[in-house]
Amino acid sequence: MNVTRRTLLGSALVASFVLSSQVFAAPALVMGFSQVGAESEWRTANTLSIKEAAKSDGVTLKFADAQQKQENQVKAIRSFIAQKVDVIAFSPVVESGWETVLREARAAKIPVILTDRAVNVTDASLYATFIGSDFVEEGRRAGRWLLERARKTPNASVNIVELQGTVGSAPAIDRKLGFEQAIAANPKLKIIRSQTGDFTRAKGKEVMEAFLKSQGKNINVLYAHNDDMAIGAIQAIEEAGLKPGVDIIVVSIDGVKGAFEAMIAGKLNVTVECNPLLGKQLMQVARDVVAGKTVPKRIVTEEGVFPAEVAAKEFPNRKY
Ligand code: GZL
């Protein structure tokens, strides 16, 4: 083979090696994310998942904590629009009051992705997709667990007190709805008191203290819309000289580590999983949306139900 051909072949081989060895980094993407706050173990895990996924996916994340205030989320979204980010994602603290700012994002041609909680808008085209749980089903799962347990004492009245999540939030509205749908099958199961504990341990304890003062030994079950309020309520039950998990059955939602520890200690009876680890899905969907790909309008996360009997075995596998 003559020199020229050998040189050409050699340089072609070198070029193809260089090209193939270059890892084509995903295109730069700037995401503005407005988070509800830092009110619960669930939220902490959710934030960590989003930040870690952004880092590993090479997404530049502008992160704003709204301290559970809608006006702070609106401000953050407006700031993301002014900064001309490529995509906006947020977990809306409450369902209503988003039309105006979402129209501003659309006018600026910035796609919006909802994570975790949904919004109530007349025009669903104001957001690209929703990634999160089916809260109504979570409420039904909690109710079905209680229905099953109540079958052991078919003639006993079951008085339930309910700690609701943040007023006006999708999880609070839907978990209440789903639970009531499920327990309607047994008229012996009655919700005798229901009040918001705003998804926090402190408020959950405070409201449970009030329930115990007014209802005392008349309470058979606590249904809490999240584990943090349940854990706060467990403290109140113990301070009232009662045994949580025994004198008062405790039913909760999220599946955070604190709930598994309470179940292992015999103080909580069941937790319905609500998966906060949405980060990876969010980054992938954000890239697809920015690339103009069609994405499903709703992406629901897979979740289970964990009664106390399986808590010790399952605990080592928990990721949040
Ligand atoms: C549910 C999420 C809720 C959790 C709470 O997806 O929005 O908010 O259940 C958290 O722990 O505060």
Side-chain angles (χ1 to χ4, degrees):
M1 183 190 298
N2 67 32
V3 175
T4 323
R5 281 173 59 87
R6 208 169 34 240
T7 316
L8 273 176
L9 183 64
S11 48
L13 280 174
V14 167
S16 63
F17 172 74
V18 168
L19 275 177
S20 61
S21 64
Q22 264 177 348
V23 176
F24 284 105
L29 184 85
V30 180
M31 174 186 286
F33 189 93
S34 168
Q35 180 59 294
V36 165
E39 74 283 0
S40 63
E41 269 188 69
W42 188 98
R43 189 64 55 198
T44 306
N46 179 246
T47 292
L48 188 62
S49 164
I50 288 159
K51 287 184 174 174
E52 282 179 348
K55 198 153 161 258
S56 61
D57 203 83
V59 170
T60 303
L61 184 69
K62 294 176 180 296
F63 185 90
D65 174 333
Q67 285 143 4
Q68 286 191 288
K69 291 186 175 58
Q70 181 171 28
E71 64 266 24
N72 291 344
Q73 291 201 287
V74 172
K75 263 189 229 140
I77 292 169
R78 287 193 167 128
S79 149
F80 298 146
I81 293 170
Q83 296 175 67
K84 297 187 174 21
V85 297
D86 298 309
V87 60
I88 292 170
F90 75 116
S91 171
V93 61
V94 292
E95 283 190 341
S96 55
W98 301 102
E99 298 266 348
T100 306
V101 75
L102 291 179
R103 286 189 194 290
E104 291 167 20
R106 180 160 63 182
K109 298 191 174 26
I110 300 175
V112 174
I113 296 171
L114 300 180
T115 72
D116 167 29
R117 297 184 184 180
V119 295
N120 245 339
V121 289
T122 50
D123 177 358
S125 70
L126 286 170
Y127 61 89
T129 184
F130 163 76
I131 308 174
S133 308
D134 179 343
F135 300 133
V136 178
E137 180 53 22
E138 290 171 352
R140 289 194 199 104
R141 288 176 182 173
R144 285 187 209 119
W145 181 88
L146 192 55
L147 271 180
E148 194 49 36
R149 185 184 175 90
R151 284 155 59 100
K152 296 176 198 154
T153 54
N155 304 319
S157 293
V158 179
N159 295 324
I160 303 160
V161 292
E162 179 182 29
L163 284 171
Q164 296 183 34
T166 302
V167 176
S169 69
I173 294 166
D174 291 353
R175 285 171 183 168
K176 180 170 188 50
L177 177 67
F179 183 77
E180 287 171 350
Q181 283 174 351
I183 66 168
N186 179 348
K188 293 274 186 193
L189 273 60
K190 281 196 191 66
I191 297 176
I192 57 171
R193 292 295 300 274
S194 181
Q195 197 177 323
T196 182
D198 209 18
F199 282 133
T200 68
R201 290 190 183 199
K203 201 88 175 89
K205 181 178 184 205
E206 188 189 308
V207 175
M208 189 66 199
E209 282 163 354
F211 286 162
L212 287 160
K213 257 197 203 91
S214 68
Q215 300 296 327
K217 295 209 181 335
N218 194 27
I219 300 171
N220 305 113
V221 174
L222 162 65
Y223 167 50
H225 289 185
N226 85 327
D227 294 334
D228 283 73
M229 293 190 292
I231 291 163
I234 283 168
Q235 286 167 10
I237 294 169
E238 289 179 314
E239 286 169 11
L242 296 170
K243 285 202 187 75
V246 181
D247 299 328
I248 295 180
I249 300 301
V250 183
V251 181
S252 183
I253 298 179
D254 273 354
V256 297
K257 283 199 171 71
F260 278 80
E261 286 157 349
M263 287 195 284
I264 291 165
K267 299 179 180 178
L268 191 144
N269 300 86
V270 60
T271 183
V272 174
E273 186 179 34
C274 175
N275 189 344
L277 308 180
L278 307 175
K280 269 204 153 332
Q281 269 179 310
L282 172 59
M283 299 309 148
Q284 184 50 57
V285 164
R287 287 198 180 285
D288 290 346
V289 167
V290 170
K293 290 182 188 163
T294 316
V295 296
K297 199 67 188 169
R298 180 169 178 153
I299 303 167
V300 180
T301 38
E302 290 304 314
E303 293 157 351
V305 179
F306 296 95
E309 299 75 38
V310 305
K313 189 166 126 297
E314 181 61 28
F315 191 53
N317 309 327
R318 300 302 297 164
K319 295 192 184 68
Y320 65 91

mmCIF file of all heavy atoms in Angstrom, residues 72-116:
data_model
loop_
_atom_site.group_PDB
_atom_site.id
_atom_site.type_symbol
_atom_site.label_atom_id
_atom_site.label_comp_id
_atom_site.label_asym_id
_atom_site.label_seq_id
_atom_site.Cartn_x
_atom_site.Cartn_y
_atom_site.Cartn_z
ATOM 1 N N ASN A 72 -44.463 33.243 47.414
ATOM 2 C CA ASN A 72 -43.017 33.050 47.162
ATOM 3 C C ASN A 72 -42.791 32.206 45.908
ATOM 4 O O ASN A 72 -41.818 32.388 45.186
ATOM 5 C CB ASN A 72 -42.349 32.368 48.361
ATOM 6 C CG ASN A 72 -42.289 33.271 49.581
ATOM 7 O OD1 ASN A 72 -42.478 34.486 49.465
ATOM 8 N ND2 ASN A 72 -42.059 32.688 50.750
ATOM 9 N N GLN A 73 -43.721 31.279 45.658
ATOM 10 C CA GLN A 73 -43.581 30.461 44.443
ATOM 11 C C GLN A 73 -43.845 31.317 43.202
ATOM 12 O O GLN A 73 -43.128 31.209 42.206
ATOM 13 C CB GLN A 73 -44.529 29.251 44.485
ATOM 14 C CG GLN A 73 -44.109 28.217 45.543
ATOM 15 C CD GLN A 73 -44.679 26.848 45.295
ATOM 16 O OE1 GLN A 73 -45.879 26.633 45.506
ATOM 17 N NE2 GLN A 73 -43.855 25.922 44.866
ATOM 18 N N VAL A 74 -44.856 32.173 43.273
ATOM 19 C CA VAL A 74 -45.150 33.043 42.124
ATOM 20 C C VAL A 74 -43.944 33.949 41.849
ATOM 21 O O VAL A 74 -43.504 34.085 40.699
ATOM 22 C CB VAL A 74 -46.429 33.878 42.387
ATOM 23 C CG1 VAL A 74 -46.638 34.927 41.297
ATOM 24 C CG2 VAL A 74 -47.647 32.959 42.492
ATOM 25 N N LYS A 75 -43.364 34.496 42.917
ATOM 26 C CA LYS A 75 -42.188 35.366 42.765
ATOM 27 C C LYS A 75 -41.035 34.596 42.096
ATOM 28 O O LYS A 75 -40.394 35.076 41.168
ATOM 29 C CB LYS A 75 -41.710 35.848 44.151
ATOM 30 C CG LYS A 75 -42.219 37.231 44.533
ATOM 31 C CD LYS A 75 -41.532 37.734 45.808
ATOM 32 C CE LYS A 75 -42.584 38.250 46.788
ATOM 33 N NZ LYS A 75 -42.317 37.901 48.186
ATOM 34 N N ALA A 76 -40.822 33.375 42.565
ATOM 35 C CA ALA A 76 -39.708 32.564 42.034
ATOM 36 C C ALA A 76 -39.934 32.268 40.553
ATOM 37 O O ALA A 76 -39.012 32.401 39.730
ATOM 38 C CB ALA A 76 -39.599 31.269 42.824
ATOM 39 N N ILE A 77 -41.169 31.924 40.185
ATOM 40 C CA ILE A 77 -41.458 31.613 38.775
ATOM 41 C C ILE A 77 -41.230 32.860 37.908
ATOM 42 O O ILE A 77 -40.631 32.790 36.835
ATOM 43 C CB ILE A 77 -42.899 31.061 38.622
ATOM 44 C CG1 ILE A 77 -42.994 29.675 39.288
ATOM 45 C CG2 ILE A 77 -43.311 30.982 37.150
ATOM 46 C CD1 ILE A 77 -44.408 29.133 39.440
ATOM 47 N N ARG A 78 -41.640 34.027 38.420
ATOM 48 C CA ARG A 78 -41.417 35.272 37.673
ATOM 49 C C ARG A 78 -39.923 35.540 37.510
ATOM 50 O O ARG A 78 -39.459 35.970 36.448
ATOM 51 C CB ARG A 78 -42.126 36.446 38.361
ATOM 52 C CG ARG A 78 -43.623 36.379 38.173
ATOM 53 C CD ARG A 78 -44.379 37.628 38.541
ATOM 54 N NE ARG A 78 -45.745 37.513 38.010
ATOM 55 C CZ ARG A 78 -46.832 37.692 38.770
ATOM 56 N NH1 ARG A 78 -46.711 38.040 40.057
ATOM 57 N NH2 ARG A 78 -48.039 37.529 38.249
ATOM 58 N N SER A 79 -39.169 35.206 38.534
ATOM 59 C CA SER A 79 -37.727 35.439 38.449
ATOM 60 C C SER A 79 -37.096 34.479 37.427
ATOM 61 O O SER A 79 -36.228 34.874 36.631
ATOM 62 C CB SER A 79 -37.111 35.258 39.834
ATOM 63 O OG SER A 79 -35.816 34.776 39.752
ATOM 64 N N PHE A 80 -37.592 33.251 37.393
ATOM 65 C CA PHE A 80 -37.074 32.291 36.393
ATOM 66 C C PHE A 80 -37.388 32.793 34.979
ATOM 67 O O PHE A 80 -36.581 32.654 34.060
ATOM 68 C CB PHE A 80 -37.691 30.907 36.597
ATOM 69 C CG PHE A 80 -37.382 30.258 37.914
ATOM 70 C CD1 PHE A 80 -38.325 29.451 38.538
ATOM 71 C CD2 PHE A 80 -36.163 30.456 38.545
ATOM 72 C CE1 PHE A 80 -38.051 28.843 39.765
ATOM 73 C CE2 PHE A 80 -35.882 29.859 39.776
ATOM 74 C CZ PHE A 80 -36.828 29.061 40.378
ATOM 75 N N ILE A 81 -38.575 33.366 34.799
ATOM 76 C CA ILE A 81 -38.964 33.905 33.481
ATOM 77 C C ILE A 81 -38.015 35.041 33.102
ATOM 78 O O ILE A 81 -37.473 35.084 31.995
ATOM 79 C CB ILE A 81 -40.433 34.396 33.508
ATOM 80 C CG1 ILE A 81 -41.401 33.212 33.682
ATOM 81 C CG2 ILE A 81 -40.767 35.174 32.228
ATOM 82 C CD1 ILE A 81 -42.850 33.615 33.960
ATOM 83 N N ALA A 82 -37.746 35.918 34.070
ATOM 84 C CA ALA A 82 -36.847 37.066 33.804
ATOM 85 C C ALA A 82 -35.438 36.582 33.456
ATOM 86 O O ALA A 82 -34.744 37.162 32.617
ATOM 87 C CB ALA A 82 -36.798 37.969 35.034
ATOM 88 N N GLN A 83 -35.034 35.452 34.082
ATOM 89 C CA GLN A 83 -33.695 34.902 33.808
ATOM 90 C C GLN A 83 -33.663 34.071 32.527
ATOM 91 O O GLN A 83 -32.643 33.507 32.163
ATOM 92 C CB GLN A 83 -33.235 34.042 34.994
ATOM 93 C CG GLN A 83 -33.037 34.812 36.300
ATOM 94 C CD GLN A 83 -32.715 33.879 37.434
ATOM 95 O OE1 GLN A 83 -31.658 33.245 37.456
ATOM 96 N NE2 GLN A 83 -33.641 33.741 38.390
ATOM 97 N N LYS A 84 -34.844 33.946 31.876
ATOM 98 C CA LYS A 84 -34.944 33.203 30.618
ATOM 99 C C LYS A 84 -34.404 31.763 30.742
ATOM 100 O O LYS A 84 -33.597 31.309 29.916
ATOM 101 C CB LYS A 84 -34.206 33.926 29.486
ATOM 102 C CG LYS A 84 -34.769 35.311 29.134
ATOM 103 C CD LYS A 84 -34.094 35.889 27.891
ATOM 104 C CE LYS A 84 -34.655 37.210 27.355
ATOM 105 N NZ LYS A 84 -35.412 38.058 28.237
ATOM 106 N N VAL A 85 -34.842 31.055 31.803
ATOM 107 C CA VAL A 85 -34.427 29.647 31.936
ATOM 108 C C VAL A 85 -35.037 28.847 30.786
ATOM 109 O O VAL A 85 -35.986 29.304 30.127
ATOM 110 C CB VAL A 85 -34.892 29.070 33.299
ATOM 111 C CG1 VAL A 85 -34.234 29.808 34.454
ATOM 112 C CG2 VAL A 85 -36.409 29.088 33.429
ATOM 113 N N ASP A 86 -34.515 27.631 30.574
ATOM 114 C CA ASP A 86 -35.045 26.801 29.476
ATOM 115 C C ASP A 86 -36.369 26.132 29.857
ATOM 116 O O ASP A 86 -37.216 25.866 29.003
ATOM 117 C CB ASP A 86 -34.032 25.685 29.139
ATOM 118 C CG ASP A 86 -32.707 26.264 28.659
ATOM 119 O OD1 ASP A 86 -32.753 27.110 27.739
ATOM 120 O OD2 ASP A 86 -31.657 25.903 29.231
ATOM 121 N N VAL A 87 -36.499 25.819 31.153
ATOM 122 C CA VAL A 87 -37.707 25.118 31.605
ATOM 123 C C VAL A 87 -37.946 25.453 33.075
ATOM 124 O O VAL A 87 -37.000 25.680 33.832
ATOM 125 C CB VAL A 87 -37.547 23.572 31.414
ATOM 126 C CG1 VAL A 87 -36.368 23.031 32.211
ATOM 127 C CG2 VAL A 87 -38.819 22.821 31.752
ATOM 128 N N ILE A 88 -39.220 25.525 33.453
ATOM 129 C CA ILE A 88 -39.611 25.763 34.855
ATOM 130 C C ILE A 88 -40.322 24.514 35.362
ATOM 131 O O ILE A 88 -41.152 23.928 34.657
ATOM 132 C CB ILE A 88 -40.551 26.983 34.957
ATOM 133 C CG1 ILE A 88 -39.786 28.271 34.621
ATOM 134 C CG2 ILE A 88 -41.184 27.088 36.355
ATOM 135 C CD1 ILE A 88 -40.672 29.503 34.451
ATOM 136 N N ALA A 89 -39.945 24.096 36.585
ATOM 137 C CA ALA A 89 -40.658 22.983 37.228
ATOM 138 C C ALA A 89 -41.019 23.446 38.633
ATOM 139 O O ALA A 89 -40.293 24.241 39.239
ATOM 140 C CB ALA A 89 -39.780 21.735 37.276
ATOM 141 N N PHE A 90 -42.166 22.978 39.146
ATOM 142 C CA PHE A 90 -42.498 23.324 40.540
ATOM 143 C C PHE A 90 -43.516 22.373 41.115
ATOM 144 O O PHE A 90 -44.214 21.652 40.387
ATOM 145 C CB PHE A 90 -42.954 24.785 40.660
ATOM 146 C CG PHE A 90 -44.345 25.125 40.163
ATOM 147 C CD1 PHE A 90 -45.321 25.582 41.042
ATOM 148 C CD2 PHE A 90 -44.667 25.024 38.817
ATOM 149 C CE1 PHE A 90 -46.585 25.939 40.595
ATOM 150 C CE2 PHE A 90 -45.937 25.377 38.363
ATOM 151 C CZ PHE A 90 -46.893 25.835 39.247
ATOM 152 N N SER A 91 -43.547 22.332 42.455
ATOM 153 C CA SER A 91 -44.534 21.564 43.197
ATOM 154 C C SER A 91 -45.460 22.600 43.822
ATOM 155 O O SER A 91 -45.090 23.260 44.792
ATOM 156 C CB SER A 91 -43.852 20.736 44.295
ATOM 157 O OG SER A 91 -44.837 20.177 45.125
ATOM 158 N N PRO A 92 -46.653 22.808 43.258
ATOM 159 C CA PRO A 92 -47.541 23.888 43.723
ATOM 160 C C PRO A 92 -48.078 23.626 45.134
ATOM 161 O O PRO A 92 -48.709 22.604 45.371
ATOM 162 C CB PRO A 92 -48.664 23.904 42.691
ATOM 163 C CG PRO A 92 -48.598 22.594 41.994
ATOM 164 C CD PRO A 92 -47.224 22.066 42.130
ATOM 165 N N VAL A 93 -47.831 24.580 46.042
ATOM 166 C CA VAL A 93 -48.202 24.369 47.450
ATOM 167 C C VAL A 93 -49.707 24.169 47.597
ATOM 168 O O VAL A 93 -50.155 23.381 48.423
ATOM 169 C CB VAL A 93 -47.685 25.538 48.337
ATOM 170 C CG1 VAL A 93 -48.285 26.864 47.906
ATOM 171 C CG2 VAL A 93 -47.950 25.283 49.804
ATOM 172 N N VAL A 94 -50.477 24.891 46.769
ATOM 173 C CA VAL A 94 -51.949 24.711 46.745
ATOM 174 C C VAL A 94 -52.401 24.558 45.299
ATOM 175 O O VAL A 94 -51.621 24.820 44.374
ATOM 176 C CB VAL A 94 -52.689 25.902 47.420
ATOM 177 C CG1 VAL A 94 -52.431 25.932 48.918
ATOM 178 C CG2 VAL A 94 -52.299 27.214 46.753
ATOM 179 N N GLU A 95 -53.657 24.125 45.097
ATOM 180 C CA GLU A 95 -54.122 23.812 43.735
ATOM 181 C C GLU A 95 -54.484 25.061 42.928
ATOM 182 O O GLU A 95 -54.329 25.094 41.720
ATOM 183 C CB GLU A 95 -55.374 22.921 43.807
ATOM 184 C CG GLU A 95 -55.081 21.475 44.131
ATOM 185 C CD GLU A 95 -56.326 20.603 43.937
ATOM 186 O OE1 GLU A 95 -57.444 21.145 43.912
ATOM 187 O OE2 GLU A 95 -56.153 19.379 43.795
ATOM 188 N N SER A 96 -54.992 26.104 43.614
ATOM 189 C CA SER A 96 -55.561 27.237 42.834
ATOM 190 C C SER A 96 -54.613 28.441 42.812
ATOM 191 O O SER A 96 -53.634 28.479 43.545
ATOM 192 C CB SER A 96 -56.897 27.637 43.467
ATOM 193 O OG SER A 96 -56.669 27.914 44.837
ATOM 194 N N GLY A 97 -54.925 29.405 41.913
ATOM 195 C CA GLY A 97 -54.204 30.684 41.869
ATOM 196 C C GLY A 97 -52.973 30.701 40.981
ATOM 197 O O GLY A 97 -52.081 31.532 41.170
ATOM 198 N N TRP A 98 -52.941 29.815 39.963
ATOM 199 C CA TRP A 98 -51.715 29.713 39.127
ATOM 200 C C TRP A 98 -51.902 30.229 37.706
ATOM 201 O O TRP A 98 -50.921 30.366 36.959
ATOM 202 C CB TRP A 98 -51.226 28.264 39.093
ATOM 203 C CG TRP A 98 -50.923 27.736 40.454
ATOM 204 C CD1 TRP A 98 -51.722 26.904 41.202
ATOM 205 C CD2 TRP A 98 -49.790 28.039 41.271
ATOM 206 N NE1 TRP A 98 -51.137 26.672 42.422
ATOM 207 C CE2 TRP A 98 -49.963 27.355 42.497
ATOM 208 C CE3 TRP A 98 -48.644 28.825 41.094
ATOM 209 C CZ2 TRP A 98 -49.017 27.427 43.534
ATOM 210 C CZ3 TRP A 98 -47.705 28.908 42.117
ATOM 211 C CH2 TRP A 98 -47.905 28.200 43.331
ATOM 212 N N GLU A 99 -53.171 30.472 37.277
ATOM 213 C CA GLU A 99 -53.414 30.819 35.859
ATOM 214 C C GLU A 99 -52.497 31.946 35.382
ATOM 215 O O GLU A 99 -51.831 31.824 34.368
ATOM 216 C CB GLU A 99 -54.857 31.293 35.673
ATOM 217 C CG GLU A 99 -55.904 30.270 36.001
ATOM 218 C CD GLU A 99 -56.381 29.481 34.774
ATOM 219 O OE1 GLU A 99 -56.058 29.878 33.643
ATOM 220 O OE2 GLU A 99 -57.066 28.450 34.994
ATOM 221 N N THR A 100 -52.497 33.072 36.124
ATOM 222 C CA THR A 100 -51.790 34.282 35.658
ATOM 223 C C THR A 100 -50.307 34.013 35.423
ATOM 224 O O THR A 100 -49.784 34.233 34.326
ATOM 225 C CB THR A 100 -51.963 35.430 36.692
ATOM 226 O OG1 THR A 100 -53.347 35.596 36.928
ATOM 227 C CG2 THR A 100 -51.324 36.709 36.196
ATOM 228 N N VAL A 101 -49.649 33.449 36.421
ATOM 229 C CA VAL A 101 -48.188 33.288 36.284
ATOM 230 C C VAL A 101 -47.855 32.214 35.246
ATOM 231 O O VAL A 101 -46.847 32.306 34.533
ATOM 232 C CB VAL A 101 -47.529 32.983 37.651
ATOM 233 C CG1 VAL A 101 -47.782 31.554 38.109
ATOM 234 C CG2 VAL A 101 -46.029 33.287 37.610
ATOM 235 N N LEU A 102 -48.740 31.227 35.096
ATOM 236 C CA LEU A 102 -48.489 30.209 34.066
ATOM 237 C C LEU A 102 -48.677 30.803 32.671
ATOM 238 O O LEU A 102 -47.977 30.440 31.726
ATOM 239 C CB LEU A 102 -49.387 28.991 34.283
ATOM 240 C CG LEU A 102 -49.072 28.149 35.509
ATOM 241 C CD1 LEU A 102 -50.049 26.968 35.654
ATOM 242 C CD2 LEU A 102 -47.635 27.620 35.480
ATOM 243 N N ARG A 103 -49.600 31.762 32.549
ATOM 244 C CA ARG A 103 -49.764 32.437 31.246
ATOM 245 C C ARG A 103 -48.524 33.281 30.935
ATOM 246 O O ARG A 103 -48.080 33.359 29.793
ATOM 247 C CB ARG A 103 -51.025 33.320 31.246
ATOM 248 C CG ARG A 103 -52.311 32.525 31.176
ATOM 249 C CD ARG A 103 -53.564 33.379 30.959
ATOM 250 N NE ARG A 103 -54.761 32.586 31.238
ATOM 251 C CZ ARG A 103 -55.187 31.578 30.461
ATOM 252 N NH1 ARG A 103 -54.516 31.295 29.351
ATOM 253 N NH2 ARG A 103 -56.255 30.878 30.789
ATOM 254 N N GLU A 104 -47.935 33.858 31.986
ATOM 255 C CA GLU A 104 -46.715 34.662 31.781
ATOM 256 C C GLU A 104 -45.569 33.772 31.282
ATOM 257 O O GLU A 104 -44.814 34.118 30.384
ATOM 258 C CB GLU A 104 -46.313 35.362 33.086
ATOM 259 C CG GLU A 104 -47.270 36.468 33.512
ATOM 260 C CD GLU A 104 -47.045 36.920 34.940
ATOM 261 O OE1 GLU A 104 -45.944 36.677 35.491
ATOM 262 O OE2 GLU A 104 -47.972 37.496 35.528
ATOM 263 N N ALA A 105 -45.492 32.540 31.848
ATOM 264 C CA ALA A 105 -44.444 31.597 31.414
ATOM 265 C C ALA A 105 -44.675 31.200 29.958
ATOM 266 O O ALA A 105 -43.744 31.151 29.151
ATOM 267 C CB ALA A 105 -44.450 30.369 32.318
ATOM 268 N N ARG A 106 -45.957 30.982 29.608
ATOM 269 C CA ARG A 106 -46.265 30.582 28.221
ATOM 270 C C ARG A 106 -45.930 31.737 27.266
ATOM 271 O O ARG A 106 -45.336 31.521 26.217
ATOM 272 C CB ARG A 106 -47.731 30.205 28.062
ATOM 273 C CG ARG A 106 -48.052 29.795 26.612
ATOM 274 C CD ARG A 106 -49.293 28.987 26.489
ATOM 275 N NE ARG A 106 -50.480 29.734 26.897
ATOM 276 C CZ ARG A 106 -51.701 29.189 26.903
ATOM 277 N NH1 ARG A 106 -51.856 27.929 26.562
ATOM 278 N NH2 ARG A 106 -52.753 29.890 27.275
ATOM 279 N N ALA A 107 -46.241 32.954 27.676
ATOM 280 C CA ALA A 107 -45.948 34.127 26.823
ATOM 281 C C ALA A 107 -44.445 34.247 26.597
ATOM 282 O O ALA A 107 -43.987 34.665 25.542
ATOM 283 C CB ALA A 107 -46.492 35.388 27.491
ATOM 284 N N ALA A 108 -43.682 33.808 27.594
ATOM 285 C CA ALA A 108 -42.207 33.867 27.476
ATOM 286 C C ALA A 108 -41.666 32.613 26.787
ATOM 287 O O ALA A 108 -40.457 32.416 26.683
ATOM 288 C CB ALA A 108 -41.601 33.994 28.875
ATOM 289 N N LYS A 109 -42.603 31.741 26.333
ATOM 290 C CA LYS A 109 -42.230 30.490 25.638
ATOM 291 C C LYS A 109 -41.335 29.586 26.492
ATOM 292 O O LYS A 109 -40.387 28.947 25.997
ATOM 293 C CB LYS A 109 -41.573 30.782 24.287
ATOM 294 C CG LYS A 109 -42.487 31.509 23.293
ATOM 295 C CD LYS A 109 -41.930 31.568 21.896
ATOM 296 C CE LYS A 109 -42.876 32.165 20.850
ATOM 297 N NZ LYS A 109 -43.878 33.114 21.360
ATOM 298 N N ILE A 110 -41.599 29.562 27.816
ATOM 299 C CA ILE A 110 -40.858 28.660 28.721
ATOM 300 C C ILE A 110 -41.813 27.551 29.185
ATOM 301 O O ILE A 110 -42.827 27.843 29.843
ATOM 302 C CB ILE A 110 -40.308 29.424 29.943
ATOM 303 C CG1 ILE A 110 -39.356 30.543 29.493
ATOM 304 C CG2 ILE A 110 -39.587 28.451 30.891
ATOM 305 C CD1 ILE A 110 -38.853 31.421 30.619
ATOM 306 N N PRO A 111 -41.530 26.297 28.826
ATOM 307 C CA PRO A 111 -42.415 25.200 29.249
ATOM 308 C C PRO A 111 -42.381 25.001 30.765
ATOM 309 O O PRO A 111 -41.362 25.247 31.417
ATOM 310 C CB PRO A 111 -41.850 23.982 28.523
ATOM 311 C CG PRO A 111 -40.437 24.324 28.184
ATOM 312 C CD PRO A 111 -40.372 25.808 28.053
ATOM 313 N N VAL A 112 -43.519 24.551 31.301
ATOM 314 C CA VAL A 112 -43.647 24.333 32.756
ATOM 315 C C VAL A 112 -43.997 22.875 33.027
ATOM 316 O O VAL A 112 -44.863 22.300 32.361
ATOM 317 C CB VAL A 112 -44.746 25.237 33.351
ATOM 318 C CG1 VAL A 112 -44.979 24.907 34.830
ATOM 319 C CG2 VAL A 112 -44.371 26.712 33.190
ATOM 320 N N ILE A 113 -43.281 22.273 33.996
ATOM 321 C CA ILE A 113 -43.560 20.891 34.405
ATOM 322 C C ILE A 113 -44.004 20.898 35.863
ATOM 323 O O ILE A 113 -43.364 21.526 36.710
ATOM 324 C CB ILE A 113 -42.289 20.009 34.263
ATOM 325 C CG1 ILE A 113 -41.876 19.910 32.792
ATOM 326 C CG2 ILE A 113 -42.512 18.618 34.860
ATOM 327 C CD1 ILE A 113 -40.520 19.259 32.585
ATOM 328 N N LEU A 114 -45.130 20.229 36.156
ATOM 329 C CA LEU A 114 -45.605 20.099 37.540
ATOM 330 C C LEU A 114 -45.020 18.829 38.134
ATOM 331 O O LEU A 114 -45.041 17.769 37.491
ATOM 332 C CB LEU A 114 -47.132 19.987 37.572
ATOM 333 C CG LEU A 114 -47.940 21.158 36.998
ATOM 334 C CD1 LEU A 114 -49.430 20.865 37.123
ATOM 335 C CD2 LEU A 114 -47.588 22.459 37.708
ATOM 336 N N THR A 115 -44.492 18.925 39.373
ATOM 337 C CA THR A 115 -44.050 17.699 40.035
ATOM 338 C C THR A 115 -44.760 17.604 41.378
ATOM 339 O O THR A 115 -45.049 18.624 42.003
ATOM 340 C CB THR A 115 -42.526 17.717 40.324
ATOM 341 O OG1 THR A 115 -42.279 18.644 41.399
ATOM 342 C CG2 THR A 115 -41.732 18.105 39.113
ATOM 343 N N ASP A 116 -45.089 16.373 41.791
ATOM 344 C CA ASP A 116 -45.615 16.099 43.133
ATOM 345 C C ASP A 116 -47.077 16.523 43.273
ATOM 346 O O ASP A 116 -47.947 15.684 43.486
ATOM 347 C CB ASP A 116 -44.726 16.790 44.185
ATOM 348 C CG ASP A 116 -45.350 16.825 45.546
ATOM 349 O OD1 ASP A 116 -46.143 15.913 45.852
ATOM 350 O OD2 ASP A 116 -45.067 17.759 46.321
#
